[in-house]
Amino acid sequence: MKNIIVGQSGGPTAVINGSLYGVVTEGLRQTDAIETVFGMINGIEGFLNDQVIDMRPLSENGELERIRTTPGAYLGSCRYKLPEDLTDAVYPQLFEKFSDRNIGCFFYIGGNDSMDTVSKLSRYAASIQSDIRFIGIPKTIDNDLVETDHTPGFGSAAKYVASTVREIAIDASVYDNKKSVTIVEIMGRHAGWLTAASVLARKFEKDNPVLIYLPEVAFDQDAFIEKVSTALETTPNLVVCISEGINDGNGTFVCEYASDVGVDNFGHKMLTGSGKYLENLVKERLGIKVRSVELNVSQRCSSACLSAADLDEAVCAGTYGVQAALLGETGKMVSFQRTNDNPYKLTYTTADVNNICNKEKGVPLSWITNDGSDISEDFIRYALPLIQGNVEVPFENGLPAFAFRR
Amino acid sequence: MKNIIVGQSGGPTAVINGSLYGVVTEGLRQTDAIETVFGMINGIEGFLNDQVIDMRPLSENGELERIRTTPGAYLGSCRYKLPEDLTDAVYPQLFEKFSDRNIGCFFYIGGNDSMDTVSKLSRYAASIQSDIRFIGIPKTIDNDLVETDHTPGFGSAAKYVASTVREIAIDASVYDNKKSVTIVEIMGRHAGWLTAASVLARKFEKDNPVLIYLPEVAFDQDAFIEKVSTALETTPNLVVCISEGINDGNGTFVCEYASDVGVDNFGHKMLTGSGKYLENLVKERLGIKVRSVELNVSQRCSSACLSAADLDEAVCAGTYGVQAALLGETGKMVSFQRTNDNPYKLTYTTADVNNICNKEKGVPLSWITNDGSDISEDFIRYALPLIQGNVEVPFENGLPAFAFRR
């Protein structure tokens, strides 16, 4: 009988706690193999400072059910990178702590960087012939992990983006007798998956968002202004969606055109985003009403637009991870394989974590159309199943009731 | 038998279409007094251009039900101000158009400026002894209309703000081993009602948002930095909520400290908000991690956080307005009177529109505590009933399905 331990790492999502729920529930269910489930507070960094809690009481007092629909990382997160050098003193230190707590399996819920942690720990374990198993549970709204059809967290973020862009388009259209441009800035520094999801807001041809720009294609300001100008002729209240990471194709982000330059009248340096920059550009070049909206952190923490499909898969990823570890797998990430689009069918498997960490998967260039300003039907077919179904979040006194550590 | 006509004006809200639904439904129900219900496209401005539609078919094809839960202004809006001079030629022009369409009652759903339109039209009607009745239906997320306990639209916006701030606080807390400040900028140029609603996100004493700043109290930058610094000692991941309209008490908005100054390296003038300005200020003075989040237009157009209480009252305001007009009232706005706090009880009445237009009601100064950085229990008691209950919005293919004019 061994214990297992689970941690969360990197930026939070709306369903990362769903995966935590999956790991803990399945861990406690496997009573013939697992004694209890520990949680690391603030990931591997907190674990090094012995910040560990027993998850069993949360299952018994009902808090675990609430954790399932709570956004953010219940256990807290970290951005701690383990040393490349496996002979570093931190490794024996960690494994002594694993041994002290009789840990048999280690689960880390996160993105690329977190998979790097899983890779290093499993390689170190192999080097000392430790039988502790290390499994990564994928998580990121960016959807940029390789070796998996998609990642938990993306579906809910995509649903948030598409719903919100549809609402912003409605808001923009109330003065439909006056031309206007609304620029919506969406998260995604290097991969445009989430920005691409804004296309789902479109209800008919030439409906908003008419123009969509991803970081995968070089951004040309003059071509952009021309597209905006043309689009305004048929869509007087134009909505344009852009990734925060749009760039000139040579490594310079559009937002960098604006940063490090503005200084307010108290001498404070003003920083700004790509959306704000383009707002000013359109205003100056076309002289019409422009506003920009940065969707910001709600993309990764809104519980109002949870996708039932996404939450369900996040939970299953945790469950499947525990089962894979008990079957002896290590150095693996839980991976989604889509076996059919319509009806959508998904199977769970594992992939070598060493092929995943520190890599990023962008939107296929063939899915980006109209000189880099639109998204193809292929993407829509790919993304639609991931945003299906709504989740009933518990409410108290008019507001969503979330789990939190005291 | 007369027709009635309804229009929407000013900024949209999540429930302004609920009031439209109320007017249309009640109008079509009163078959012995009302022939049909017309809708003005883009308010009084569109009406002047004969942009009018018959609402009856929307009731018959089921679209009206969908309108009820669609954010934005289904009929479109305008910001058209009628001339002060009642001898202006536009007035006889308007009344001729009313006569052409056999209009008996005119309903205008909007805020202060829209009530100004109702005031002028009803006064002109009196001057020419027209028996057309003019009724205002209140609407504004700002909650700043006088002569009513609150306004439809505020409850849903407040629910959106409180839910979102609670989620942002969760997002901010995932790295709880590192100090950080998150500044949330909330709508409200002159009245802080909506920003005050962020206090509802707080679950226990010293929980986020710890500091809340409204435009009703002069904002002092040095005192602010000191408060932030002190608060960080007990709340390492601090969330501060501010109104976009915070100002120095002498007419200068905090956001004006920053605007008209920054110029990017293409020579474009950079404009920014109060939140961005304070983000830079805190970064410079305290040297810690700071981010700012502007909640932006989702505050007035999110359908995900509709308050059932608010939507219900918005519908009833429309219904009551039609009934009041049929009883002969004119030059009035539908007004809410709260007769009890707990259990919450509301009655509907009307108030003289001339006492309402062009006035703004701020948050009582006695409800603003802790040297202008917090909100009292009185506000919480006032606001809680307004955010109760969730609304089921129809969904199609994973996204909210809204009504729109084709």
Side-chain angles (χ1 to χ4, degrees):
Chain A
M1 293 283 280
K2 293 271 190 178
N3 298 313
I4 67 173
I5 192 162
V6 57
Q8 298 171 305
S9 171
T13 78
V15 302
I16 182 171
N17 286 331
S19 292
L20 176 63
Y21 173 91
V23 169
V24 175
T25 309
E26 182 64 13
L28 295 175
R29 202 179 67 82
Q30 298 274 4
T31 46
D32 47 349
I34 296 170
E35 185 133 349
T36 198
V37 182
F38 289 120
M40 298 171 238
I41 304 301
N42 293 124
I44 194 81
E45 192 176 15
F47 179 74
L48 273 167
N49 297 319
D50 299 310
Q51 291 181 270
V52 170
I53 58 169
D54 186 356
M55 301 299 286
R56 186 184 295 277
L58 300 171
S59 167
E60 286 162 358
N61 69 16
E63 190 74 349
L64 197 59
E65 278 305 319
R66 190 165 280 198
I67 287 174
R68 195 178 68 94
T69 51
T70 294
Y74 179 80
L75 292 174
S77 187
C78 71
R79 291 204 186 273
Y80 182 84
K81 205 170 164 70
L82 282 172
E84 299 297 328
D85 180 3
L86 293 185
T87 66
D88 190 283
V90 76
Y91 291 102
Q93 196 187 340
L94 279 166
F95 275 70
E96 200 179 311
K97 288 180 189 290
F98 292 147
S99 168
D100 288 349
R101 294 193 188 267
N102 192 30
I103 301 296
C105 312
F106 174 106
F107 301 91
Y108 218 37
I109 312 169
N112 322 22
D113 293 337
S114 312
M115 295 312 140
D116 180 71
T117 298
V118 175
S119 160
K120 284 168 180 160
L121 290 174
S122 62
R123 283 186 284 130
Y124 180 80
S127 77
I128 62 163
Q129 287 164 324
S130 159
D131 59 0
I132 303 178
R133 294 151 198 177
F134 295 88
I135 299 284
I137 314 287
K139 168 270 359 168
T140 168
I141 62 164
D142 293 330
N143 199 39
D144 60 354
L145 294 186
V146 298
E147 302 273 335
T148 185
D149 178 76
H150 60 277
T151 56
F154 172 65
S156 295
K159 189 176 179 112
Y160 177 85
V161 165
S163 302
T164 305
V165 168
R166 185 170 281 186
E167 289 164 347
I168 289 172
I170 282 185
D171 186 86
S173 72
V174 302
Y175 301 113
D176 55 8
N177 48 350
K178 310 228 173 9
K179 279 189 185 180
S180 72
V181 178
T182 302
I183 295 164
V184 182
E185 182 182 322
I186 295 165
M187 280 179 167
R189 202 81 178 148
H190 302 112
W193 293 102
L194 202 50
T195 304
S198 67
V199 75
L200 303 174
R202 196 183 288 160
K203 301 178 294 296
F204 49 85
E205 220 187 317
K206 300 217 170 158
D207 185 28
N208 279 313
V210 177
L211 301 171
I212 300 171
Y213 291 94
L214 313 191
E216 281 83 352
V217 174
F219 186 82
D220 179 299
Q221 298 191 64
D222 294 324
F224 167 73
I225 290 293
E226 208 168 302
K227 287 258 187 201
V228 167
S229 182
T230 307
L232 279 166
E233 285 164 25
T234 45
T235 311
N237 300 117
L238 185 67
V239 177
V240 180
C241 290
I242 60 156
S243 280
E244 58 175 337
I246 50 169
N247 59 81
D248 66 1
N250 295 313
T252 303
F253 289 114
V254 168
C255 63
E256 290 178 289
Y257 295 157
S259 63
D260 293 352
V261 181
V263 174
D264 70 18
N265 50 11
F266 288 84
H268 311 130
K269 205 161 71 174
M270 304 298 297
L271 297 173
T272 191
S274 306
K276 203 70 182 166
Y277 175 79
L278 293 181
E279 175 188 329
N280 284 295
L281 185 75
V282 173
K283 212 175 274 171
E284 196 187 81
R285 295 269 195 99
L286 300 180
I288 54 168
K289 200 183 147 206
V290 195
R291 61 180 184 178
S292 64
V293 180
E294 192 184 339
L295 294 194
N296 220 309
V297 295
S298 290
Q299 291 166 88
R300 68 181 185 209
C301 67
S302 169
S303 68
C305 294
L306 279 174
S307 149
D310 186 32
L311 179 56
D312 185 46
E313 291 174 358
V315 172
C316 289
T319 310
Y320 187 84
V322 172
Q323 293 168 352
L326 292 182
L327 290 171
E329 295 206 57
T330 185
K332 300 284 179 66
M333 184 188 82
V334 174
S335 154
F336 293 173
Q337 297 218 317
R338 186 188 304 229
T339 53
N340 201 41
D341 245 338
N342 191 7
Y344 171 68
K345 275 202 186 115
L346 198 72
T347 60
Y348 295 79
T349 179
T350 57
D352 187 340
V353 82
N354 298 298
N355 297 335
I356 296 164
C357 54
N358 309 316
K359 287 183 191 157
E360 284 177 333
K361 181 175 72 181
V363 176
L365 292 181
S366 62
W367 290 8
I368 306 174
T369 60
N370 203 12
D371 303 325
S373 70
D374 205 355
I375 304 299
S376 75
E377 280 293 326
D378 304 278
F379 174 83
I380 296 175
R381 260 194 303 278
Y382 167 83
L384 264 184
L386 315 183
I387 64 163
Q388 298 303 311
N390 298 338
V391 176
E392 212 171 303
V393 175
F395 268 66
E396 264 170 23
N397 226 345
L399 293 177
F402 298 131
F404 57 96
R405 281 182 292 121
R406 277 153 239 253
Chain B
M1 292 284 281
K2 293 271 190 179
N3 298 315
I4 68 173
I5 192 162
V6 56
Q8 297 171 305
S9 171
T13 77
V15 302
I16 182 171
N17 286 331
S19 292
L20 176 63
Y21 173 91
V23 170
V24 175
T25 309
E26 183 63 15
L28 294 176
R29 203 180 66 83
Q30 299 274 3
T31 47
D32 47 350
I34 297 170
E35 185 133 351
T36 196
V37 182
F38 290 120
M40 300 172 235
I41 305 300
N42 294 123
I44 194 82
E45 192 175 13
F47 179 74
L48 273 166
N49 298 319
D50 298 312
Q51 292 181 272
V52 171
I53 58 170
D54 187 355
M55 300 298 286
R56 186 184 295 278
L58 299 172
S59 166
E60 286 161 357
N61 68 16
E63 190 73 348
L64 197 59
E65 277 304 319
R66 189 164 282 198
I67 287 174
R68 195 178 68 94
T69 51
T70 294
Y74 179 81
L75 292 174
S77 186
C78 71
R79 291 205 185 273
Y80 184 84
K81 206 172 164 67
L82 283 172
E84 299 298 327
D85 180 3
L86 293 185
T87 66
D88 190 285
V90 76
Y91 291 102
Q93 195 186 342
L94 279 167
F95 275 70
E96 200 179 311
K97 288 181 189 291
F98 292 146
S99 167
D100 289 349
R101 294 190 187 269
N102 191 30
I103 302 296
C105 313
F106 174 105
F107 301 92
Y108 217 38
I109 312 168
N112 322 21
D113 292 338
S114 312
M115 295 312 140
D116 180 72
T117 298
V118 175
S119 161
K120 284 168 178 161
L121 291 174
S122 62
R123 283 186 284 130
Y124 180 80
S127 77
I128 61 164
Q129 287 161 325
S130 158
D131 58 1
I132 303 179
R133 295 153 197 177
F134 295 88
I135 298 285
I137 314 288
K139 166 276 350 172
T140 168
I141 62 165
D142 292 330
N143 199 40
D144 60 353
L145 295 187
V146 298
E147 302 273 335
T148 184
D149 178 75
H150 60 277
T151 56
F154 173 64
S156 294
K159 189 177 179 113
Y160 178 85
V161 165
S163 301
T164 306
V165 168
R166 185 172 279 186
E167 289 165 345
I168 289 173
I170 282 185
D171 186 87
S173 72
V174 302
Y175 301 113
D176 54 7
N177 48 350
K178 309 224 175 11
K179 280 188 183 180
S180 72
V181 178
T182 302
I183 295 163
V184 183
E185 183 182 321
I186 296 165
M187 280 178 167
R189 203 80 178 149
H190 301 112
W193 293 101
L194 201 49
T195 305
S198 66
V199 74
L200 303 173
R202 196 183 289 160
K203 303 178 294 297
F204 49 86
E205 221 188 314
K206 300 219 169 155
D207 186 28
N208 278 313
V210 177
L211 301 172
I212 300 170
Y213 291 94
L214 312 191
E216 282 82 354
V217 174
F219 186 81
D220 179 297
Q221 297 192 63
D222 295 323
F224 167 72
I225 291 293
E226 208 167 301
K227 288 258 188 200
V228 167
S229 182
T230 306
L232 280 166
E233 285 164 27
T234 45
T235 311
N237 300 117
L238 185 68
V239 176
V240 180
C241 290
I242 60 156
S243 280
E244 58 176 335
I246 50 169
N247 59 80
D248 67 0
N250 295 313
T252 303
F253 289 114
V254 167
C255 63
E256 290 179 288
Y257 295 157
S259 63
D260 291 353
V261 181
V263 174
D264 70 19
N265 50 12
F266 287 84
H268 312 129
K269 205 162 71 174
M270 305 298 297
L271 297 173
T272 192
S274 306
K276 202 70 181 165
Y277 175 78
L278 292 181
E279 175 187 328
N280 283 293
L281 185 75
V282 173
K283 212 174 273 170
E284 196 187 81
R285 296 270 194 100
L286 300 180
I288 54 169
K289 201 183 147 205
V290 195
R291 60 180 185 180
S292 64
V293 181
E294 193 184 339
L295 294 194
N296 220 310
V297 295
S298 289
Q299 291 166 89
R300 66 182 186 210
C301 66
S302 169
S303 67
C305 294
L306 280 174
S307 150
D310 186 32
L311 179 55
D312 184 47
E313 291 175 359
V315 172
C316 289
T319 310
Y320 187 85
V322 172
Q323 293 168 352
L326 292 182
L327 289 172
E329 296 206 55
T330 186
K332 300 286 178 67
M333 183 188 83
V334 174
S335 154
F336 293 172
Q337 296 216 319
R338 187 188 304 228
T339 52
N340 201 42
D341 244 338
N342 191 7
Y344 171 68
K345 275 200 187 117
L346 198 72
T347 60
Y348 295 79
T349 179
T350 56
D352 186 340
V353 82
N354 297 298
N355 297 335
I356 295 165
C357 55
N358 308 317
K359 285 182 192 158
E360 284 177 332
K361 180 175 73 179
V363 176
L365 292 181
S366 62
W367 290 9
I368 306 174
T369 60
N370 202 12
D371 303 326
S373 70
D374 205 355
I375 304 300
S376 75
E377 279 294 324
D378 304 277
F379 174 83
I380 296 175
R381 259 194 303 278
Y382 167 83
L384 264 183
L386 314 182
I387 65 163
Q388 298 303 311
N390 298 338
V391 176
E392 213 172 302
V393 175
F395 268 66
E396 264 171 22
N397 227 346
L399 293 177
F402 299 131
F404 56 96
R405 282 181 290 121
R406 277 153 240 253

